[in-house]
């Protein structure tokens, strides 16, 4: 996975706050390379996965860079 300019991102959108959520670099199938994430990003990714259905919507794969 190219960390400089990922072609895809996995986006978890907030269920309650428009414009809020998390995004992570991934491949076209939504697979995130956890070993390539910083400690903070890895913790946020695990949190986002755990909060699906509670605070966050199911993730979607989008083309483009992670912000």
């Amino acid at each position: 996975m190219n960390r400089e300019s990922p072609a895809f991102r996995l986006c978890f959108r907030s269920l309650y706050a428009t414009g809020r959520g998390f995004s992570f670099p991934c491949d076209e199938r939504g697979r995130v390379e956890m070993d390539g994430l910083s400690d903070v990003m890895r913790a946020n990714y695990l949190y986002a996965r755990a909060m699906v259905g509670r605070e966050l919507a199911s993730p979607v794969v989008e083309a483009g860079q992670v912000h």
Side-chain angles (χ1 to χ4, degrees), residues 2-20:
N2 183 347
R3 290 185 203 164
E4 299 301 318
S5 181
F8 299 94
R9 61 186 177 166
L10 187 64
C11 300
F12 296 81
R13 306 250 186 264
S14 172
L15 293 173
Y16 306 107
T18 303
R20 303 284 311 250

Side-chain angles (χ1 to χ4, degrees), residues 21-33:
F22 297 91
S23 65
F24 306 93
C26 69
D27 65 13
E28 66 279 357
R29 292 185 163 176
R31 293 180 294 216
V32 174
E33 184 182 329

